Amino acid sequence: MNNILVIHGPNLNLLGTREPEVYGAQTLSDINTRLQIVAGEIGVRITAFQSNHEGEIVEAIHKARFQSDASYDAIIINPAAFTHTSVAIRDALAGVGLPFVEVHLSNVHKREAFRHHSYFSDLAVGVVCGLGAYGYEAALRFLTQKSSKLG
Ligand code: CA2
């Protein structure tokens, strides 16, 4: 478990500019920088990718498994709004069969009812929500820990 793809879904490029009370004050760049530091400490490689487009996310998932020069061992994904809508991204993750952790900055279960359903959670190794940016770090540490069945 030494090569992990991190996927950030739509509008997460706006982090740090609005709604800090919901999503925190860190920018996406801050989050990715922290993940790179943690990855370096652990000794694993991560690649971070953000897109506002469903099809681009589907293609990134396909490439992670089938076309990448460096094949990935796992995916950390915050599908953002696509969490609640996207059968296409769900099918891509199921199709490539890579283990993935679903991350949400906010506690979606404390929010509107439409955020309570995810098209991903039943396929995920685990789901982290409500821990802010630390959720990504927790997912990375979990996936790479030696004692993990996935590590
Ligand atoms: O809590 C999360 O991480 C979410 O995946 C974020 C999504 C939301 O649709 C999900 O229900 C929960 C929204 C991301 C939008 O991010 C923004 C950040 C700053 C300003 C505006 C949007």
Side-chain angles (χ1 to χ4, degrees):
M1 189 63 65
N2 55 21
N3 199 12
I4 293 180
L5 178 63
V6 182
I7 299 176
H8 306 284
N11 297 308
L12 289 168
N13 54 310
L14 299 177
L15 282 174
T17 64
R18 285 180 44 224
E19 301 189 72
E21 68 287 357
V22 180
Y23 299 120
Q26 293 189 57
T27 65
L28 193 60
S29 175
D30 294 334
I31 291 172
N32 287 334
T33 298
R34 173 66 188 157
L35 282 177
Q36 289 291 358
I37 290 168
V38 174
E41 288 169 0
I42 297 170
V44 300
R45 185 178 138 173
I46 63 159
T47 303
F49 167 79
Q50 190 274 333
S51 177
N52 296 319
H53 303 281
E54 188 175 29
E56 287 183 1
I57 294 173
V58 167
E59 286 176 0
I61 293 166
H62 292 175
K63 281 185 193 158
R65 176 71 177 80
F66 296 117
Q67 286 172 45
S68 181
D69 291 340
S71 69
Y72 289 95
D73 301 302
I75 295 173
I76 295 169
I77 183 167
N78 182 346
F82 290 142
T83 305
H84 320 296
T85 64
S86 183
V87 177
I89 297 174
R90 174 194 169 89
D91 286 350
L93 286 164
V96 302
L98 290 172
F100 72 92
V101 174
E102 175 183 348
V103 173
H104 300 285
L105 295 156
S106 64
N107 181 351
V108 287
H109 301 290
K110 281 172 71 174
R111 302 183 64 193
E112 303 97 319
F114 71 83
R115 297 187 201 274
H116 297 177
H117 175 261
S118 165
Y119 278 98
F120 302 90
S121 300
D122 63 310
L123 297 179
V125 171
V127 182
V128 186
C129 76
L131 302 188
Y134 180 74
Y136 289 98
E137 182 177 333
L140 178 59
R141 290 189 185 280
F142 172 77
L143 284 168
T144 55
Q145 67 186 349
K146 291 282 183 287
S147 58
S148 166
K149 277 195 284 183
L150 301 166

